[in-house]
Amino acid sequence: MKILVINCGSSSLKYQVIDMNGELLLAKGLVERIGMDGSVITHEKHDEDKWVNEVPMKDHNDAIAQVLAAVADPVHGVIKDMSEIGAVGHRVVHAGEKYAHSVLIDHSVIEALEECTELAPLHNPPNLMGIAACQKLMPNTPMVGVFDTAFHQTMPPESYIYALPYEYYTDLGIRRYGFHGTSHKYVSQRAAALMNCNLDDLKIITCHLGNGASVSAIKRGKCIDTSMGFTPLEGLVMGTRCGDLDPAIVTYIREKLDLDQGVANEILNKKSGVLGISGVSSDFRDLEKAAEEGNERAQLAIKVFVHRVRFYIGAYIAEMNGVDAIVFTAGVGENDVQMRDLICNDLGNLGIKLDLVKNKVRGQETIISRDDSRVAVILIPTNEELMIARETKEIVEAL
Ligand code: ADP
């Protein structure tokens, strides 16, 4: 079965076509500037050619139509006819408490996801537009929703309830949801495979460190805690997001600096994190270069980032009464040798010993701890699209 995976943003859209017979990536692409001047699709036939096609796309319907045209293009495409696509897997950010698993999309699912829009106003609407556009153009192809929040639905109440009036949870849905679930699930499964162990026997801490970053505690294959919360703003220090704060700071800076709500939100989401501390960049490559050149605020930003990751690792070891593996993934986790070294430094008493030579690797599945390390430290490149395709296949095959 060939599966089309769609990850739809407000003005951009990523897609992949995966042949599940051997899990082969056939093509991937990116549509940018949907609804703006200069909209463009970049389509890559895996290991063969890259095709950039500037074509007007006024909305998501036009964008999906261009994706389907590229995928079935006689020269650049990877299928002859749309009927070869057995199913479409859609990434959807927020499914609230409604879905702890991926589901076949029908009318009631759409309604439930529309209800969750209040919780993810920037993400769910474009995700839903992508689904609607696909349904219109491929009315007979089954569609599956794969949710960022689903994997974290196994958290116990003590992990997800905030110490606010309880009615805020029951009436407004204010609780910790967690995000990046598809990635945490995928890398924990791969880690177990690499260790030749059953996931049900393991306690794993997964560190998804990208521009957005989160850590999860996974016990016997189930998420029991994660660092992101009601929104993806909570938890770790990120590229531009502040992560955990004393909530009183928000009211204090709003009053002191006379900030309206939108500006305050923008500061916490776009101008904070390592960018805010360093004043240099949200990109760790720039930050490390500046730090090497003696920029003290860049050095501080790296230290604060590392401190917070270690803080969560320690907390999750306590929550699970131990850990068998620590997994690094996403842009920073997969590529940043120095960051992994700093995070794992001096944790020998917890049984965590990084091998500094094995650690000198980027973007490939490898165990990077020493042979005498009680805890395996593992690098796993994430692959959310493959995870979405796997879940889509499983649901469609069971129909
Ligand atoms: P997201 O999906 O959240 O946008 P990614 O997982 O793609 O983010 O990670 C992007 C980040 O990864 C970049 O901002 C950069 O900081 C970091 N990164 C990528 N390559 C490297 C590298 N070689 N060394 C250090 N950091 C890197």
Side-chain angles (χ1 to χ4, degrees):
M1 182 192 295
K2 288 175 187 140
I3 291 182
L4 174 64
V5 176
I6 299 279
N7 181 354
C8 214
S10 57
S11 67
S12 69
L13 179 169
K14 288 188 230 162
Y15 64 92
Q16 287 193 0
V17 181
I18 300 174
D19 187 345
M20 295 312 285
N21 190 4
E23 297 191 332
L24 295 174
L25 174 65
L26 300 179
K28 66 175 179 179
L30 171 68
V31 182
E32 292 166 288
R33 301 183 63 82
I34 301 169
M36 302 176 200
D37 285 345
S39 41
V40 59
I41 174 167
T42 306
H43 175 84
E44 282 179 61
K45 192 165 166 177
H46 188 56
D47 279 346
E48 282 185 46
D49 75 350
K50 186 167 170 174
W51 180 39
V52 181
N53 187 16
E54 252 195 66
V55 49
M57 290 177 245
K58 65 178 182 316
D59 55 24
H60 287 75
N61 275 325
D62 287 355
I64 295 286
Q66 288 302 330
V67 169
L68 301 185
V71 163
D73 185 82
V75 179
H76 306 284
V78 288
I79 54 170
K80 289 199 182 67
D81 180 282
M82 284 322 294
S83 64
E84 284 182 48
I85 299 287
V88 184
H90 291 272
R91 179 202 179 202
V92 179
V93 168
H94 217 309
E97 290 188 324
K98 185 79 188 177
Y99 300 112
H101 301 283
S102 302
V103 287
L104 186 73
I105 297 174
D106 61 14
H107 189 64
S108 67
V109 173
I110 301 280
E111 270 180 12
L113 295 178
E114 279 168 351
E115 279 172 27
C116 295
T117 287
E118 252 186 353
L119 298 172
L122 299 179
H123 293 105
N124 272 27
N127 297 161
L128 285 163
M129 279 192 262
I131 294 171
C134 281
Q135 283 177 326
K136 200 165 155 191
L137 293 165
M138 311 167 78
N140 300 318
T141 309
M143 313 263 158
V144 169
V146 181
F147 313 113
D148 276 26
T149 48
F151 182 58
H152 303 302
Q153 278 294 304
T154 48
M155 284 194 287
E158 60 269 31
S159 293
Y160 69 71
I161 290 291
Y162 289 111
L164 290 166
Y166 193 71
E167 299 72 42
Y168 293 3
Y169 167 56
T170 50
D171 300 351
L172 303 174
I174 296 180
R175 53 157 283 175
R176 307 183 64 252
Y177 290 100
F179 300 88
H180 292 145
T182 310
S183 174
H184 288 290
K185 183 174 181 180
Y186 174 79
V187 299
S188 59
Q189 289 181 353
R190 287 302 310 151
L194 214 64
M195 293 168 78
N196 271 324
C197 289
N198 192 330
L199 196 54
D200 289 345
D201 297 329
L202 294 174
K203 297 169 182 172
I204 304 179
I205 296 174
T206 47
C207 306
H208 177 112
L209 310 178
N211 220 342
S214 63
V215 188
S216 290
I218 301 168
K219 195 173 180 179
R220 303 187 202 294
K222 291 202 164 61
C223 175
I224 62 152
D225 209 344
T226 192
S227 59
M228 282 180 170
F230 178 59
T231 73
L233 189 55
E234 192 181 347
L236 297 177
V237 172
M238 308 182 209
T240 61
R241 289 177 228 159
C242 58
D244 298 333
L245 283 184
D246 179 341
I249 295 170
V250 182
T251 41
Y252 186 80
I253 57 170
R254 279 191 68 182
E255 197 180 316
K256 274 277 177 196
L257 305 175
D258 193 22
L259 305 178
D260 72 24
Q261 190 175 312
V263 176
N265 252 328
E266 165 105 2
I267 290 171
L268 301 175
N269 279 289
K270 304 260 170 72
K271 300 200 166 145
S272 299
V274 290
L275 169 68
I277 300 173
S278 67
V280 172
S281 173
S282 62
D283 191 305
F284 283 83
R285 286 162 290 198
D286 304 337
L287 220 54
E288 281 160 19
K289 186 163 176 283
E292 261 168 43
E293 289 165 1
N295 183 312
E296 288 180 7
R297 275 173 56 189
Q299 292 165 358
L300 178 63
I302 292 169
K303 281 188 185 159
V304 177
F305 178 86
V306 168
H307 171 264
R308 196 74 64 81
V309 177
R310 287 165 63 91
F311 183 89
Y312 272 98
I313 288 175
Y316 291 167
I317 290 174
E319 274 195 61
M320 294 195 289
N321 187 20
V323 63
D324 301 303
I326 294 181
V327 179
F328 287 101
T329 192
V332 179
E334 291 168 25
N335 297 301
D336 197 330
V337 174
Q338 182 196 338
M339 194 60 75
R340 292 193 299 258
D341 183 359
L342 290 171
I343 291 168
C344 297
N345 184 41
D346 201 17
L347 296 179
N349 276 345
L350 294 175
I352 301 164
K353 296 181 187 167
L354 190 71
D355 185 315
L356 299 184
V357 176
K358 289 187 198 158
N359 185 40
K360 283 189 183 144
V361 64
R362 292 198 164 86
Q364 78 191 51
E365 284 190 355
T366 342
I367 296 183
I368 52 175
S369 42
R370 280 172 27 186
D371 293 342
D372 65 343
S373 180
R374 195 161 39 74
V375 179
V377 183
I378 310 181
L379 194 170
I380 308 274
T382 195
N383 194 339
E384 285 156 290
E385 290 79 11
L386 178 58
M387 194 74 214
I388 292 172
R390 281 184 187 163
E391 306 231 328
T392 301
K393 174 176 179 261
E394 199 180 311
I395 286 177
V396 170
E397 280 183 348
L399 288 177

